[in-house]
Short mmCIF file of all heavy atoms in Angstrom, two decimals:
data_model
loop_
_atom_site.label_atom_id
_atom_site.label_comp_id
_atom_site.label_asym_id
_atom_site.label_seq_id
_atom_site.Cartn_x
_atom_site.Cartn_y
_atom_site.Cartn_z
N ASP A 268 -10.82 -72.31 65.92
CA ASP A 268 -11.08 -70.87 66.03
C ASP A 268 -12.58 -70.63 66.04
O ASP A 268 -13.12 -69.96 65.14
CB ASP A 268 -10.39 -70.12 64.89
CG ASP A 268 -10.62 -68.61 64.97
OD1 ASP A 268 -10.97 -68.12 66.06
OD2 ASP A 268 -10.47 -67.93 63.93
N ILE A 269 -13.27 -71.20 67.01
CA ILE A 269 -14.71 -71.04 67.15
C ILE A 269 -15.04 -70.93 68.63
O ILE A 269 -14.26 -71.36 69.49
CB ILE A 269 -15.49 -72.22 66.53
CG1 ILE A 269 -15.03 -73.55 67.15
CG2 ILE A 269 -15.35 -72.24 65.02
CD1 ILE A 269 -15.83 -74.74 66.69
N PRO A 270 -16.21 -70.35 68.98
CA PRO A 270 -16.63 -70.35 70.39
C PRO A 270 -16.89 -71.78 70.87
O PRO A 270 -17.31 -72.64 70.11
CB PRO A 270 -17.93 -69.52 70.36
CG PRO A 270 -17.87 -68.73 69.10
CD PRO A 270 -17.12 -69.57 68.12
N GLY A 271 -16.60 -72.00 72.14
CA GLY A 271 -16.79 -73.33 72.70
C GLY A 271 -15.80 -74.33 72.17
O GLY A 271 -16.15 -75.48 71.87
N ALA A 272 -14.53 -73.92 72.06
CA ALA A 272 -13.52 -74.83 71.52
C ALA A 272 -13.34 -76.06 72.40
O ALA A 272 -12.99 -77.14 71.91
CB ALA A 272 -12.19 -74.09 71.38
N HIS A 273 -13.60 -75.93 73.71
CA HIS A 273 -13.38 -77.06 74.62
C HIS A 273 -14.35 -78.22 74.33
O HIS A 273 -14.08 -79.35 74.73
CB HIS A 273 -13.56 -76.59 76.07
CG HIS A 273 -14.91 -75.98 76.34
ND1 HIS A 273 -15.20 -74.66 76.05
CD2 HIS A 273 -16.05 -76.51 76.85
CE1 HIS A 273 -16.46 -74.41 76.39
NE2 HIS A 273 -16.99 -75.51 76.87
N ASP A 274 -15.46 -77.93 73.65
CA ASP A 274 -16.42 -78.99 73.34
C ASP A 274 -15.95 -79.92 72.22
O ASP A 274 -16.57 -80.96 72.00
CB ASP A 274 -17.77 -78.38 72.96
CG ASP A 274 -18.42 -77.63 74.12
OD1 ASP A 274 -18.16 -78.03 75.27
OD2 ASP A 274 -19.16 -76.67 73.87
N HIS A 275 -14.90 -79.53 71.50
CA HIS A 275 -14.45 -80.32 70.35
C HIS A 275 -13.13 -81.03 70.60
O HIS A 275 -12.64 -81.72 69.70
CB HIS A 275 -14.31 -79.41 69.12
CG HIS A 275 -15.57 -78.67 68.77
ND1 HIS A 275 -16.58 -79.25 68.05
CD2 HIS A 275 -15.98 -77.41 69.05
CE1 HIS A 275 -17.56 -78.37 67.89
NE2 HIS A 275 -17.22 -77.25 68.48
N LEU A 276 -12.55 -80.88 71.77
CA LEU A 276 -11.25 -81.48 72.03
C LEU A 276 -11.33 -83.01 72.03
O LEU A 276 -10.47 -83.69 71.47
CB LEU A 276 -10.70 -80.98 73.37
CG LEU A 276 -10.51 -79.46 73.49
CD1 LEU A 276 -9.97 -79.11 74.86
CD2 LEU A 276 -9.57 -78.96 72.41
N ALA A 277 -12.37 -83.55 72.66
CA ALA A 277 -12.51 -85.00 72.73
C ALA A 277 -12.80 -85.61 71.36
O ALA A 277 -12.50 -86.78 71.12
CB ALA A 277 -13.61 -85.38 73.72
N GLN A 278 -13.38 -84.83 70.44
CA GLN A 278 -13.71 -85.35 69.12
C GLN A 278 -12.50 -85.45 68.21
O GLN A 278 -12.39 -86.37 67.40
CB GLN A 278 -14.79 -84.48 68.47
CG GLN A 278 -16.09 -84.42 69.27
CD GLN A 278 -17.07 -83.42 68.68
OE1 GLN A 278 -16.82 -82.79 67.66
NE2 GLN A 278 -18.22 -83.27 69.34
N VAL A 279 -11.58 -84.48 68.31
CA VAL A 279 -10.42 -84.47 67.41
C VAL A 279 -9.27 -85.30 67.95
O VAL A 279 -8.37 -85.67 67.18
CB VAL A 279 -9.95 -83.02 67.15
CG1 VAL A 279 -11.04 -82.22 66.49
CG2 VAL A 279 -9.48 -82.35 68.44
N ALA A 280 -9.25 -85.59 69.24
CA ALA A 280 -8.11 -86.31 69.82
C ALA A 280 -7.86 -87.66 69.15
O ALA A 280 -6.71 -87.98 68.82
CB ALA A 280 -8.31 -86.48 71.32
N PRO A 281 -8.89 -88.52 68.91
CA PRO A 281 -8.60 -89.82 68.28
C PRO A 281 -8.09 -89.71 66.84
O PRO A 281 -7.45 -90.64 66.35
CB PRO A 281 -9.95 -90.54 68.32
CG PRO A 281 -10.75 -89.84 69.35
CD PRO A 281 -10.30 -88.42 69.30
N ALA A 282 -8.36 -88.61 66.16
CA ALA A 282 -7.96 -88.46 64.76
C ALA A 282 -6.59 -87.84 64.59
O ALA A 282 -6.14 -87.64 63.45
CB ALA A 282 -8.99 -87.61 64.01
N MET A 283 -5.89 -87.54 65.68
CA MET A 283 -4.61 -86.86 65.61
C MET A 283 -3.47 -87.84 65.82
O MET A 283 -3.54 -88.74 66.67
CB MET A 283 -4.54 -85.74 66.66
CG MET A 283 -5.58 -84.64 66.45
SD MET A 283 -5.53 -83.37 67.72
CE MET A 283 -3.89 -82.68 67.45
N HIS A 284 -2.40 -87.64 65.04
CA HIS A 284 -1.21 -88.47 65.18
C HIS A 284 -0.51 -88.17 66.51
O HIS A 284 -0.77 -87.16 67.17
CB HIS A 284 -0.22 -88.17 64.03
CG HIS A 284 -0.67 -88.70 62.71
ND1 HIS A 284 -0.75 -90.04 62.42
CD2 HIS A 284 -1.05 -88.05 61.57
CE1 HIS A 284 -1.16 -90.22 61.18
NE2 HIS A 284 -1.35 -89.02 60.63
N ARG A 285 0.37 -89.06 66.87
CA ARG A 285 1.23 -88.82 68.02
C ARG A 285 2.12 -87.60 67.75
O ARG A 285 2.67 -87.44 66.66
CB ARG A 285 2.10 -90.05 68.27
CG ARG A 285 3.14 -89.88 69.36
CD ARG A 285 3.86 -91.18 69.60
NE ARG A 285 4.89 -91.03 70.62
CZ ARG A 285 5.48 -92.05 71.23
NH1 ARG A 285 5.12 -93.29 70.92
NH2 ARG A 285 6.40 -91.84 72.12
N ASN A 286 2.25 -86.74 68.72
CA ASN A 286 3.02 -85.50 68.64
C ASN A 286 2.40 -84.49 67.69
O ASN A 286 3.04 -83.51 67.30
CB ASN A 286 4.47 -85.77 68.23
CG ASN A 286 5.37 -84.58 68.53
OD1 ASN A 286 5.22 -83.92 69.56
ND2 ASN A 286 6.31 -84.30 67.64
N ALA A 287 1.14 -84.68 67.28
CA ALA A 287 0.45 -83.69 66.46
C ALA A 287 0.20 -82.42 67.28
O ALA A 287 0.16 -82.45 68.51
CB ALA A 287 -0.86 -84.26 65.94
#
Side-chain angles (χ1 to χ4, degrees):
D268 180 19
I269 56 175
H273 58 277
D274 295 331
H275 303 279
L276 301 180
Q278 300 174 2
V279 299
M283 297 178 64
H284 288 292
R285 174 175 179 165
N286 197 38

